Amino acid sequence: MTDASNLPGASTSQRAISRMLRQRAQEFLASRKHANNLVDIISHWDESTCPCLLTVETIFVEVLKRGDMYVEHAVTLTISEPSPESRYTTWLKNCYEEVWKKILATMEKSRLAIQVQALTTAMKLMAEEGKAPLEPRDNSGYHFPLHRLKPILMTLLSPEKDNINLISRFQEITYYPDALYYTWRCLPSLTPKRQPKEVYIKNLLELIDKIPLPKEEEVSKMSDNKELLCGPQQDAAFTWDQSNVKRALNKVWACVMHWELTPHLHKQLLIVLLERVMSHLEKPVLLTDFLMDSLDVNGPIGVLALQGVFILVTKHNLEYPNIFTKLYSMFEPEIFHTKYKARLFYLSDLFLSSTHLPEALVAAFAKRLARLTLVAPPEDILIILLFVGNLLLRHPGLKRLIDHPQGGEAPPSSTGAGDPFLMEERDPLLSNALLSSLWEIRVLQSHILPSIATAARFIHEPLPSVEYDMASALERTGGHLFENELKTKVKDIMLTFERPTSMALPKGEKLLQYWQITH
């Protein structure tokens, strides 16, 4: 048991209470003559919640292992007075149920550190109860205490309180296949069909994002995994049923899609849909109307919806004739200030990868991207130059844009005055891009940053035979590098080059020579 008296901020009185609770727990487990110690321990719950949590966890984990609360159902024909043993078992089970109510209440109303401890205690008791159930099993199948898991999930999906931190902690038990499987089985019954509160939607989307759902090729590993939360069990083996899990996910998502969403929840839903849910839906085409409506929203929501439309177009044969016009309209200066700009560049490169697209359409994209380099951040300029280079490689006829006679040299105004290209035109085929030139890239050859000036010289050199890898280039951008560094787990942090052997200064320290002189 973790010593609550060693927790940060523990006062002298708390340490004394922790020691007292530990002693009474040991006495309770040692002899039944100290049974009332359990009542005394529970009575301290409100004033010393964390020590009580740790104490009851120790007590009931041991009680469950011993089987002290196990009741064998027997058929009796006569009514008789219950034996002292059965009365003790009944009393102990009542105390256990009272403790569960207090644990769930603590998860709802206490401060975060105590909430996390309450969740940890609940998961440990649930795991132990799965291995040692309180009553005989009704069938020979694998036993998991769903009646314990469901209230935990109901608490996490609170309609009143944002539980993102608790959900992150709950994610730890979903690495066990049985816990993950039964979590998905519980979710449909906890998802309302009517419009719920905003906080509930946020908690549900956060939970779905945190609990993984294996792909078809990973299903066999789930059933063969010996690391189970409530296992191993002697008379039953856990079996992962992928069809049941997918059915549960589809039921949940069918409810979610009918809810009204705020812009923040709309964005969160799209992220979860694209990264977790869409590949497991039975009929992804039913998302078409939702994604089309989302495309009309400016900013990150439109970019995320574009990825969903791309999946429907490429994998589910969706026809969307105006997709290029919509994609063209997304390239505005504001896109450089959104988190999902890398996703837009990557998807656009895929959309424009076909060599059968009209040259006038591709020329409009190349020209619009070139114009945006005049206002883009340096790291985005480099990406755009690679993008334009790929378009020139796929469509050799666009090389005329490098030095078009009508496009001429760079206009005197940085806004492109005198350029036949119509930047404000929404239809790329009517933008007059083929009548212009890529003078913007020529201007970048005088950029103050050498890396950009060097990259912009590609239009005056022979183009490579292989396209630039946009995916790897996007991974080297500042935002991705920062995110990757945050995800990197540092095991050893070097504080000194030489291990100190005493209180003396390390060898080579400048101060050391002066210390020797004055010593």
Side-chain angles (χ1 to χ4, degrees), residues 397-438:
L398 296 183
K399 292 180 181 178
R400 74 182 81 171
L401 297 178
I402 295 176
D403 193 15
H404 197 285
Q406 285 183 265
E409 296 295 327
S413 171
S414 61
T415 60
D419 190 338
F421 174 68
L422 303 176
M423 184 68 176
E424 303 302 323
E425 175 59 50
R426 297 288 88 185
D427 189 344
L429 297 177
L430 302 177
S431 63
N432 295 335
L434 287 175
L435 302 177
S436 183
S437 69
L438 297 176

Side-chain angles (χ1 to χ4, degrees), residues 317-334:
N317 302 318
L318 177 69
E319 294 185 5
Y320 185 25
N322 296 324
I323 187 64
F324 291 104
T325 302
K326 187 62 186 176
L327 179 63
Y328 185 77
S329 67
M330 288 185 175
F331 284 100
E332 295 286 350
E334 293 77 13

Side-chain angles (χ1 to χ4, degrees), residues 146-161:
L146 283 173
H147 65 294
R148 303 298 183 197
L149 178 61
K150 195 169 182 179
I152 294 175
L153 292 174
M154 290 174 65
T155 304
L156 294 178
L157 298 176
S158 169
E160 307 295 339
K161 188 174 183 180

Side-chain angles (χ1 to χ4, degrees), residues 32 63 104 156 160 203 237 313 360 408 485:
R32 288 189 180 181
V63 167
L104 295 172
L156 294 178
E160 307 295 339
N203 287 330
V313 169
E485 284 298 319

Side-chain angles (χ1 to χ4, degrees), residues 27-37 66-69 84-89 91-92:
E27 293 173 352
F28 173 83
L29 293 173
S31 173
R32 288 189 180 181
K33 69 180 182 180
H34 298 291
N36 288 333
N37 283 14
R66 295 177 181 177
D68 290 352
M69 292 188 291
E85 181 68 24
S86 64
R87 286 202 301 269
Y88 175 79
T89 302
W91 171 81
L92 194 57

